[in-house]
Amino acid sequence: DGGITQSPKYLFRKEGQNVTLSCEQNLNHDAMYWYRQDPGQGLRLIYYSQIVNDFQKGDIAEGYSVSREKKESFPLTVTSAQKNPTAFYLCASSIGRLASRGETQYFGPGTRLLVL
Amino acid sequence: KNEVEQSPQNLTAQEGEFITINCSYSVGISALHWLQQHPGGGIVSLFMLSSGKKKHGRLIATINIQEKHSSLHITASHPRDSAVYICAVSSYGGSQGNLIFGKGTKLSVKP
């Protein structure tokens, strides 16, 4: 079955620790995205990638980093510089490279990050 | 002011009722999306539309480009429809036109 997987489902971070959230897709999509969801707020874009070895900052990139070494994979690292990391993180992908064309995005099941 | 506004924020209905969720936006768009988020957190795309009306089963989505408004209707609602419904737009500006999301409408359908 084609789809997007995220792991782990729950992740706990200690103070000063970097943690990495996994996102893998087997849909052969060019574009991938990372969103953060906080209670009572709409999803906010952290980073996006339109092609392998290229990625762009979204609206709230500070304290996060990404890589796109393979088409299928777009891991997100939450660094110690992110002072309020507790949130629900969603990865998504779409076929084409330009979201402005209005293409459907397919979402993973999400990772809930909690700070100890 | 948010670029995408949804109403109501919360909605409780009895099984069988006709439900309407509204979305207004203030930016130029190439498409509007309706998404469904289940209690576990996963999100599925219900509709993408740029004009007119689309129907899938008991769900109907309409958009009025001139008025910058969209509605999602659920006919004969059922408890399994309980979820958060999110409106999002693909805009011409911003981060390469990535999606701008509303805050969501939490729907609870009682049996």
Side-chain angles (χ1 to χ4, degrees):
Chain A
D1 286 335
I4 302 177
T5 56
Q6 290 185 242
S7 63
K9 188 171 182 179
Y10 295 95
L11 186 57
F12 298 92
R13 193 190 93 161
K14 296 179 182 177
E15 288 288 336
Q17 186 182 38
N18 292 353
V19 292
T20 297
L21 285 62
S22 168
C23 177
E24 303 277 333
Q25 54 98 359
N26 60 5
L27 300 168
N28 200 33
H29 285 175
D30 280 325
M32 297 187 74
Y33 314 83
W34 273 106
Y35 295 99
R36 170 178 171 142
Q37 186 178 39
D38 294 281
Q41 294 196 37
L43 276 73
R44 291 181 291 170
L45 182 65
I46 304 172
Y47 268 99
Y48 65 102
S49 169
Q50 296 182 337
I51 195 170
V52 174
N53 292 321
D54 184 61
F55 49 83
Q56 305 294 330
K57 292 182 179 179
D59 301 317
I60 54 164
E62 186 175 347
Y64 300 97
S65 66
V66 293
S67 63
R68 186 87 187 274
E69 297 176 1
K70 298 187 299 182
K71 188 175 186 178
E72 304 80 24
S73 180
F74 190 40
L76 173 74
T77 297
V78 184
T79 74
S80 57
Q82 173 49 245
K83 297 306 178 189
N84 185 24
T86 297
F88 188 58
Y89 291 87
L90 285 152
C91 178
S93 71
S94 62
I95 293 174
R97 299 182 187 179
L98 285 178
S100 59
R101 289 202 297 244
E103 292 176 356
T104 297
Q105 291 189 14
Y106 297 82
F107 288 82
T111 293
R112 196 165 298 278
L113 177 61
L114 300 166
V115 177
L116 294 176
Chain B
K1 187 180 187 297
N2 295 327
E3 293 166 304
V4 179
E5 296 273 7
Q6 288 185 237
S7 62
Q9 279 186 291
N10 294 283
L11 181 56
T12 300
Q14 286 299 126
E15 183 173 356
E17 285 185 0
F18 181 84
I19 289 164
T20 296
I21 299 170
N22 296 298
C23 176
S24 297
Y25 54 92
S26 58
V27 295
I29 69 168
S30 56
L32 183 140
H33 307 254
W34 281 103
L35 311 169
Q36 181 190 54
Q37 185 171 31
H38 284 284
I43 292 177
V44 296
S45 179
L46 298 174
F47 295 103
M48 182 180 71
L49 63 165
S50 54
S51 65
K53 176 180 175 179
K54 286 190 176 180
K55 184 177 190 291
H56 186 256
R58 294 180 295 105
L59 300 176
I60 303 166
T62 63
I63 188 168
N64 185 317
I65 297 294
Q66 286 74 29
E67 295 186 4
K68 296 189 173 180
H69 181 269
S70 175
S71 293
L72 177 68
H73 305 287
I74 305 175
T75 62
S77 60
H78 189 275
R80 65 174 174 266
D81 296 325
S82 298
V84 175
Y85 292 84
I86 300 170
C87 173
V89 299
S90 302
S91 73
Y92 291 116
S95 305
Q96 287 289 315
N98 282 307
L99 295 180
I100 303 172
F101 295 85
K103 294 182 179 180
T105 294
K106 186 174 182 180
L107 172 65
S108 178
V109 182
K110 306 293 186 187

